[in-house]
């Protein structure tokens, strides 16, 4: 496995698969989570911030700061949140309707300020990982454009090159959540890797996989197999997936950071329409002739077997 180490700010809208990704990161020695920034998306930002705090409490990592972020897109009117995918508590209806530990609080900084301060204080060190609508990154870029030269890299879960959209025929949910912010992100001069639907729908966890997580007795593995039940119902009803299978969206971004050799990427410039029928689409210039924006490392293929083995190993072994 190609070894590398990343200090990340995890920008997230937890969310079941966000939780799956965060626990994966917290169990991986290749990753140091230096902060969590929250955003609306799978639910409103009050709920996603509460879930971020609860996840850290559950994981015994209340040392990691949480900065609450945007509650709505930068320009477009707010769209629907996704409780029908993630449950009323956005955590699979496990009853996370309040904070587990009321003594925990987000830091007194907006997520965008937190991102700017951390990147500018540690030039070239911080990787931004965004697995929700990209509003906090868009706001951070407006606040301090030099973060583009000072970030190490940006990894997003979002978008789709050849795969169909999941919230419109063309668009993926995180891009559609704030297309204007995504357009800013794709036009900035920084190195972006896009783990989009082309790969995240190619790796699926199913009931036997979750049973193995449960049987391990590891608290992280057991927790994931609990929160995922609601998500399995969504995938069964919406996609007609069999055997309790679910897509592995947000964990794909973390898998890429741990071991990039799990994926094969292609470099394309990307443009995002901010309105109209193609709103939120990530149009990739596959001929390399039409757009001048920086080329994005679009992940197109994944070694799902090795990815699933890695996730299982990390969620069932606390070392
Ligand atoms: O399209 C998948 C993305 O939308 C994931 O980040 C999931 O958490 C939802 O926000
Ligand atoms: Ca997410």
């Amino acid at each position: 496995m190609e070894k590398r180490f990343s200090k990340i700010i995890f920008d997230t809208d937890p969310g079941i698969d966000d939780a799956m990704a965060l626990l994966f990161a917290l169990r991986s020695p290749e990753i140091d989570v230096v902060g969590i920034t929250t955003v609306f998306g799978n639910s409103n930002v009050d709920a996603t911030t509460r879930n971020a705090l609860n996840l850290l409490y559950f994981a015994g990592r209340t040392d990691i700061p949480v900065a609450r972020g945007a509650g709505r897109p930068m320009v477009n009117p707010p769209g629907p949140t996704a409780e029908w995918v993630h449950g009323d508590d956005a955590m699979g209806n496990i009853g996370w309707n309040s904070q587990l530990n009321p003594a925990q609080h987000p830091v007194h900084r907006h997520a965008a300020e937190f991102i700017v301060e951390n990147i500018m204080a540690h030039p070239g060190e911080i990787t931004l990982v965004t697995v929700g609508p990209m509003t906090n990154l868009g706001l951070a870029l407006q606040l301090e454009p030099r973060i583009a030269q000072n970030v190490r890299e940006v990894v997003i879960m979002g978008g789709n090159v050849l795969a169909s959209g999941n919230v419109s025929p063309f668009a993926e949910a995180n891009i559609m959540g704030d297309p204007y912010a995504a357009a800013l992100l794709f036009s900035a001069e920084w190195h972006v890797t896009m783990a989009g639907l082309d790969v995240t729908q190619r790796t699926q966890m199913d009931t036997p996989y979750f049973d193995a997580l449960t049987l391990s007795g590891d608290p992280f593995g057991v927790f994931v197999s609990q929160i995922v039940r609601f998500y399995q119902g969504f995938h069964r009803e919406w996609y007609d997936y069999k055997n309790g299978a679910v897509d592995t969206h947000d964990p794909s971004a973390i898998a890429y950071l741990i071991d990039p050799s799990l994926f094969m990427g292609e470099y394309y410039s990307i443009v995002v329409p901010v309105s109209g029928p193609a709103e939120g689409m990530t149009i990739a210039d596959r001929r390399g002739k039409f757009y001048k924006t920086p080329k994005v490392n679009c992940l197109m293929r994944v070694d799902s077997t090795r990815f699933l083995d890695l996730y299982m190993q990390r969620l069932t072994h606390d070392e």
Side-chain angles (χ1 to χ4, degrees), residues 13 17-18 42 86 131 157 166 172-174 249-250:
D13 60 338
D17 59 321
D18 303 71
N42 290 324
H86 295 266
V131 296
M157 187 283 132
N166 62 356
E172 182 280 327
N174 288 340
H249 296 301
D250 295 350

PDB file of all heavy atoms in Angstrom, residues 13 17-18 42 86 131 157 166 172-174 249-250, ligand 1:
ATOM      1  N   ASP A  13     -21.859  16.822   6.460  1.00  0.00           N
ATOM      2  CA  ASP A  13     -23.276  17.015   6.814  1.00  0.00           C
ATOM      3  C   ASP A  13     -23.840  15.713   7.403  1.00  0.00           C
ATOM      4  O   ASP A  13     -24.746  15.109   6.847  1.00  0.00           O
ATOM      5  CB  ASP A  13     -24.087  17.443   5.571  1.00  0.00           C
ATOM      6  CG  ASP A  13     -24.050  16.440   4.431  1.00  0.00           C
ATOM      7  OD1 ASP A  13     -23.103  15.615   4.368  1.00  0.00           O
ATOM      8  OD2 ASP A  13     -24.977  16.445   3.587  1.00  0.00           O
ATOM      9  N   ASP A  17     -23.686   8.061   5.866  1.00  0.00           N
ATOM     10  CA  ASP A  17     -22.408   7.717   5.229  1.00  0.00           C
ATOM     11  C   ASP A  17     -21.298   8.673   5.658  1.00  0.00           C
ATOM     12  O   ASP A  17     -20.108   8.307   5.655  1.00  0.00           O
ATOM     13  CB  ASP A  17     -22.522   7.643   3.702  1.00  0.00           C
ATOM     14  CG  ASP A  17     -22.991   8.935   3.071  1.00  0.00           C
ATOM     15  OD1 ASP A  17     -23.866   9.608   3.638  1.00  0.00           O
ATOM     16  OD2 ASP A  17     -22.468   9.276   1.986  1.00  0.00           O
ATOM     17  N   ASP A  18     -21.673   9.881   6.086  1.00  0.00           N
ATOM     18  CA  ASP A  18     -20.676  10.787   6.674  1.00  0.00           C
ATOM     19  C   ASP A  18     -20.106  10.173   7.952  1.00  0.00           C
ATOM     20  O   ASP A  18     -18.891  10.220   8.196  1.00  0.00           O
ATOM     21  CB  ASP A  18     -21.312  12.136   7.020  1.00  0.00           C
ATOM     22  CG  ASP A  18     -21.960  12.817   5.828  1.00  0.00           C
ATOM     23  OD1 ASP A  18     -23.009  12.326   5.372  1.00  0.00           O
ATOM     24  OD2 ASP A  18     -21.415  13.830   5.366  1.00  0.00           O
ATOM     25  N   ASN A  42     -27.709  16.776   4.461  1.00  0.00           N
ATOM     26  CA  ASN A  42     -28.569  15.643   4.802  1.00  0.00           C
ATOM     27  C   ASN A  42     -29.658  16.059   5.786  1.00  0.00           C
ATOM     28  O   ASN A  42     -30.703  15.414   5.873  1.00  0.00           O
ATOM     29  CB  ASN A  42     -27.738  14.503   5.365  1.00  0.00           C
ATOM     30  CG  ASN A  42     -26.874  13.869   4.286  1.00  0.00           C
ATOM     31  OD1 ASN A  42     -27.294  13.759   3.133  1.00  0.00           O
ATOM     32  ND2 ASN A  42     -25.659  13.460   4.634  1.00  0.00           N
ATOM     33  N   HIS A  86     -31.720   9.619   5.311  1.00  0.00           N
ATOM     34  CA  HIS A  86     -30.857   9.427   6.491  1.00  0.00           C
ATOM     35  C   HIS A  86     -31.616   9.319   7.809  1.00  0.00           C
ATOM     36  O   HIS A  86     -31.007   9.086   8.847  1.00  0.00           O
ATOM     37  CB  HIS A  86     -29.842  10.572   6.573  1.00  0.00           C
ATOM     38  CG  HIS A  86     -28.877  10.574   5.424  1.00  0.00           C
ATOM     39  ND1 HIS A  86     -27.645   9.959   5.474  1.00  0.00           N
ATOM     40  CD2 HIS A  86     -28.985  11.077   4.164  1.00  0.00           C
ATOM     41  CE1 HIS A  86     -27.026  10.107   4.310  1.00  0.00           C
ATOM     42  NE2 HIS A  86     -27.820  10.777   3.505  1.00  0.00           N
ATOM     43  N   VAL A 131     -17.509  16.377   2.186  1.00  0.00           N
ATOM     44  CA  VAL A 131     -18.432  15.288   1.824  1.00  0.00           C
ATOM     45  C   VAL A 131     -19.889  15.734   1.972  1.00  0.00           C
ATOM     46  O   VAL A 131     -20.789  14.919   2.168  1.00  0.00           O
ATOM     47  CB  VAL A 131     -18.143  14.014   2.662  1.00  0.00           C
ATOM     48  CG1 VAL A 131     -16.765  13.456   2.358  1.00  0.00           C
ATOM     49  CG2 VAL A 131     -18.298  14.271   4.160  1.00  0.00           C
ATOM     50  N   MET A 157     -16.267  14.329  -1.912  1.00  0.00           N
ATOM     51  CA  MET A 157     -17.235  13.364  -2.401  1.00  0.00           C
ATOM     52  C   MET A 157     -18.318  14.206  -3.065  1.00  0.00           C
ATOM     53  O   MET A 157     -18.991  15.015  -2.405  1.00  0.00           O
ATOM     54  CB  MET A 157     -17.865  12.531  -1.259  1.00  0.00           C
ATOM     55  CG  MET A 157     -18.769  11.393  -1.766  1.00  0.00           C
ATOM     56  SD  MET A 157     -20.372  11.974  -2.328  1.00  0.00           S
ATOM     57  CE  MET A 157     -20.529  11.168  -3.907  1.00  0.00           C
ATOM     58  N   ASN A 166     -27.863  11.559  -8.951  1.00  0.00           N
ATOM     59  CA  ASN A 166     -28.733  10.878  -7.975  1.00  0.00           C
ATOM     60  C   ASN A 166     -29.818  11.786  -7.398  1.00  0.00           C
ATOM     61  O   ASN A 166     -30.666  11.310  -6.653  1.00  0.00           O
ATOM     62  CB  ASN A 166     -27.911  10.207  -6.847  1.00  0.00           C
ATOM     63  CG  ASN A 166     -27.100  11.183  -6.023  1.00  0.00           C
ATOM     64  OD1 ASN A 166     -27.066  12.372  -6.304  1.00  0.00           O
ATOM     65  ND2 ASN A 166     -26.452  10.674  -4.987  1.00  0.00           N
ATOM     66  N   GLU A 172     -25.433  15.223  -8.887  1.00  0.00           N
ATOM     67  CA  GLU A 172     -25.195  14.520  -7.613  1.00  0.00           C
ATOM     68  C   GLU A 172     -25.588  15.468  -6.467  1.00  0.00           C
ATOM     69  O   GLU A 172     -25.460  16.692  -6.575  1.00  0.00           O
ATOM     70  CB  GLU A 172     -23.703  14.133  -7.554  1.00  0.00           C
ATOM     71  CG  GLU A 172     -23.289  13.350  -6.330  1.00  0.00           C
ATOM     72  CD  GLU A 172     -23.080  14.204  -5.113  1.00  0.00           C
ATOM     73  OE1 GLU A 172     -22.636  15.368  -5.285  1.00  0.00           O
ATOM     74  OE2 GLU A 172     -23.364  13.745  -3.997  1.00  0.00           O
ATOM     75  N   ALA A 173     -25.997  14.881  -5.320  1.00  0.00           N
ATOM     76  CA  ALA A 173     -26.605  15.668  -4.238  1.00  0.00           C
ATOM     77  C   ALA A 173     -25.698  16.759  -3.667  1.00  0.00           C
ATOM     78  O   ALA A 173     -26.160  17.883  -3.416  1.00  0.00           O
ATOM     79  CB  ALA A 173     -27.038  14.723  -3.112  1.00  0.00           C
ATOM     80  N   ASN A 174     -24.436  16.471  -3.432  1.00  0.00           N
ATOM     81  CA  ASN A 174     -23.584  17.477  -2.780  1.00  0.00           C
ATOM     82  C   ASN A 174     -23.318  18.679  -3.686  1.00  0.00           C
ATOM     83  O   ASN A 174     -23.162  19.804  -3.219  1.00  0.00           O
ATOM     84  CB  ASN A 174     -22.250  16.860  -2.337  1.00  0.00           C
ATOM     85  CG  ASN A 174     -22.428  15.947  -1.148  1.00  0.00           C
ATOM     86  OD1 ASN A 174     -23.421  16.045  -0.433  1.00  0.00           O
ATOM     87  ND2 ASN A 174     -21.474  15.049  -0.940  1.00  0.00           N
ATOM     88  N   HIS A 249     -20.631   6.198  -0.417  1.00  0.00           N
ATOM     89  CA  HIS A 249     -20.266   7.534  -0.915  1.00  0.00           C
ATOM     90  C   HIS A 249     -19.106   8.151  -0.121  1.00  0.00           C
ATOM     91  O   HIS A 249     -17.974   8.192  -0.592  1.00  0.00           O
ATOM     92  CB  HIS A 249     -21.477   8.468  -0.855  1.00  0.00           C
ATOM     93  CG  HIS A 249     -22.604   8.061  -1.738  1.00  0.00           C
ATOM     94  ND1 HIS A 249     -22.471   7.923  -3.102  1.00  0.00           N
ATOM     95  CD2 HIS A 249     -23.905   7.776  -1.466  1.00  0.00           C
ATOM     96  CE1 HIS A 249     -23.630   7.571  -3.631  1.00  0.00           C
ATOM     97  NE2 HIS A 249     -24.513   7.470  -2.656  1.00  0.00           N
ATOM     98  N   ASP A 250     -19.431   8.673   1.062  1.00  0.00           N
ATOM     99  CA  ASP A 250     -18.427   9.481   1.774  1.00  0.00           C
ATOM    100  C   ASP A 250     -17.192   8.677   2.200  1.00  0.00           C
ATOM    101  O   ASP A 250     -16.067   9.221   2.171  1.00  0.00           O
ATOM    102  CB  ASP A 250     -19.077  10.189   2.968  1.00  0.00           C
ATOM    103  CG  ASP A 250     -20.122  11.214   2.512  1.00  0.00           C
ATOM    104  OD1 ASP A 250     -20.191  11.493   1.305  1.00  0.00           O
ATOM    105  OD2 ASP A 250     -20.873  11.715   3.362  1.00  0.00           O
TER     106      ASP A 250
HETATM  107  O1  LIG B   1     -24.616  11.888  -3.178  1.00  0.00           O
HETATM  108  C1  LIG B   1     -24.105  11.343  -2.008  1.00  0.00           C
HETATM  109  C2  LIG B   1     -23.837  12.426  -0.976  1.00  0.00           C
HETATM  110  O2  LIG B   1     -25.069  13.007  -0.613  1.00  0.00           O
HETATM  111  C3  LIG B   1     -23.207  11.928   0.310  1.00  0.00           C
HETATM  112  O3  LIG B   1     -22.281  12.867   0.783  1.00  0.00           O
HETATM  113  C4  LIG B   1     -24.371  11.793   1.244  1.00  0.00           C
HETATM  114  O4  LIG B   1     -23.996  11.950   2.589  1.00  0.00           O
HETATM  115  C5  LIG B   1     -25.298  12.875   0.767  1.00  0.00           C
HETATM  116  O5  LIG B   1     -24.994  14.083   1.386  1.00  0.00           O
END
